[in-house]
């Protein structure tokens, strides 16, 4: 049964792809612009995005008028760029050149920050073979998922939510955990950004220094609460 069916390969989110290839692309663009070309994966993806916005393969310029005409489609597929025309138009001539778009994407710190924040929460759909596909509500391939939260599709067995926690340092015994340079005492939790998966909206909480506070432990809170703990809230 289903001997000829192969599970789909894992598809990275566009945010994870961006963060993975950005360092090399950024270094090549700044140090050796001539060497920054078609062999760079991020360059290839940005070229596709630019050509899609211009509705012309190999385009070199997009007028402000054309950009505004396509704004509903751009906002739906690439919301990161929808409100950035004036910032991308570096010489303010009313035209978005390919070089300007490339420079904005690779050197603008706001873009890097947006991509980094967006990859903190990732949702995958899992099929019966264990294959995972990234869930993106702005991707036209998921237009059938019209609810506020992506529903479980007939061929999916689960949705997996991944929370990437950055700047967390779990210290040795006797020293506090540090999150973004701020001490996290026992009993204190950090909360994830909201996510949407399997037809519900929710968030995750994580107690890096243990679920119970120090007074609760002394009062018999239990040894289990001394270890890191996690929970979720859904609606």
């Amino acid at each position: 049964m289903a001997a000829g069916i192969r599970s789909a390969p894992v598809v990275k989110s566009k945010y994870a792809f961006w963060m993975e290839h950005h360092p090399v692309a950024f270094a090549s663009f700044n140090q050796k612009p001539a060497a920054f070309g078609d062999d760079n994966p991020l360059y290839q993806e940005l070229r596709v995005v630019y050509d899609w916005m211009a509705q012309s393969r190999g385009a070199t310029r997009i007028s402000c008028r054309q950009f505004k005409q396509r704004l509903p489609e751009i906002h739906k597929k690439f919301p990161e760029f929808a409100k950035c025309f004036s910032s991308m138009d570096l010489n303010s001539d009313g035209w978005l050149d390919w070089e300007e778009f490339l420079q904005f994407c690779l050197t603008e710190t706001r873009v890097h920050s947006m991509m980094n924040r967006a990859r903190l929460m990732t949702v995958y759909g899992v099929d019966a073979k264990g294959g995972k596909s990234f869930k993106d509500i702005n991707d036209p391939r998921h237009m059938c998922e019209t609810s506020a939260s992506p529903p479980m599709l007939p061929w999916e067995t689960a949705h997996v939510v991944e929370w990437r926690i950055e700047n967390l340092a779990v210290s040795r015994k006797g020293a506090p955990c540090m999150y973004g340079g701020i001490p996290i005492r026992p009993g204190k939790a950090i909360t994830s950004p909201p996510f949407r998966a399997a037809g519900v909206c929710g968030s995750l909480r994580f107690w890096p220094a243990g679920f119970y506070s120090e007074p609760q432990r002394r009062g018999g809170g239990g040894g289990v609460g001394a270890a890191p703990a996690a929970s979720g809230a859904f609606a």
Side-chain angles (χ1 to χ4, degrees):
M1 157 177 153
I5 299 178
R6 296 182 179 179
S7 60
V10 175
V11 180
K12 289 183 180 179
S13 73
K14 59 185 177 184
Y15 310 109
F17 177 88
W18 183 291
M19 296 303 297
E20 178 181 345
H21 295 285
H22 181 268
V24 175
F26 178 78
S28 300
F29 181 80
N30 282 332
Q31 298 176 7
K32 299 178 181 179
F36 184 70
D38 296 339
D39 58 336
N40 186 280
L42 184 53
Y43 176 97
Q44 296 172 2
E45 290 299 318
L46 291 175
R47 181 76 254 187
V48 171
V49 171
Y50 186 84
D51 289 350
W52 177 85
M53 292 193 297
Q55 294 184 300
S56 175
R57 187 171 184 179
T60 58
R61 305 182 82 191
I62 302 174
S63 68
C64 180
R65 180 179 180 181
Q66 182 182 6
F67 187 90
K68 289 181 178 179
Q69 289 175 339
R70 298 215 63 200
L71 194 57
E73 297 174 74
I74 294 174
H75 184 273
K76 189 173 184 178
K77 193 170 184 180
F78 302 105
E80 299 83 7
F81 302 132
K83 299 180 180 180
C84 296
F85 185 88
S86 58
S87 299
M88 293 188 291
D89 182 15
L90 300 178
N91 59 5
S92 301
D93 64 350
W95 292 83
L96 176 59
D97 299 330
W98 159 242
E99 291 78 11
E100 291 177 327
F101 177 73
L102 190 63
Q103 181 176 344
F104 176 82
C105 292
L106 295 179
T107 63
E108 178 60 47
T109 56
R110 286 185 301 164
V111 176
H112 188 272
S113 298
M114 283 191 299
M115 294 296 177
N116 191 41
R117 286 196 304 269
R119 71 166 179 165
L120 295 181
M121 298 300 295
T122 306
V123 179
Y124 295 95
V126 182
D127 61 26
K129 293 289 185 178
K132 295 193 293 185
S133 60
F134 173 67
K135 314 293 285 187
D136 184 354
I137 59 176
N138 296 314
D139 193 326
R141 292 175 297 179
H142 297 291
M143 288 301 292
C144 61
E145 305 170 46
T146 56
S147 64
S149 178
M152 292 279 292
L153 298 178
W155 56 86
E156 294 176 336
T157 59
H159 281 183
V160 177
V161 179
E162 292 183 357
W163 176 20
R164 182 186 181 93
I165 304 177
E166 296 184 332
N167 302 318
L168 176 64
V170 181
S171 306
R172 296 180 179 179
K173 186 176 181 180
C177 295
M178 303 294 291
Y179 178 58
I182 301 175
I184 302 295
R185 307 302 303 182
K188 298 295 183 180
I190 56 178
T191 304
S192 74
F195 66 85
R196 298 177 179 180
V200 300
C201 302
S203 61
L204 302 175
R205 301 185 72 188
F206 178 57
W207 288 260
F211 181 78
Y212 293 113
S213 64
E214 293 176 352
Q216 288 174 320
R217 293 181 188 179
R218 290 194 294 267
V224 176
S231 71
F234 313 98

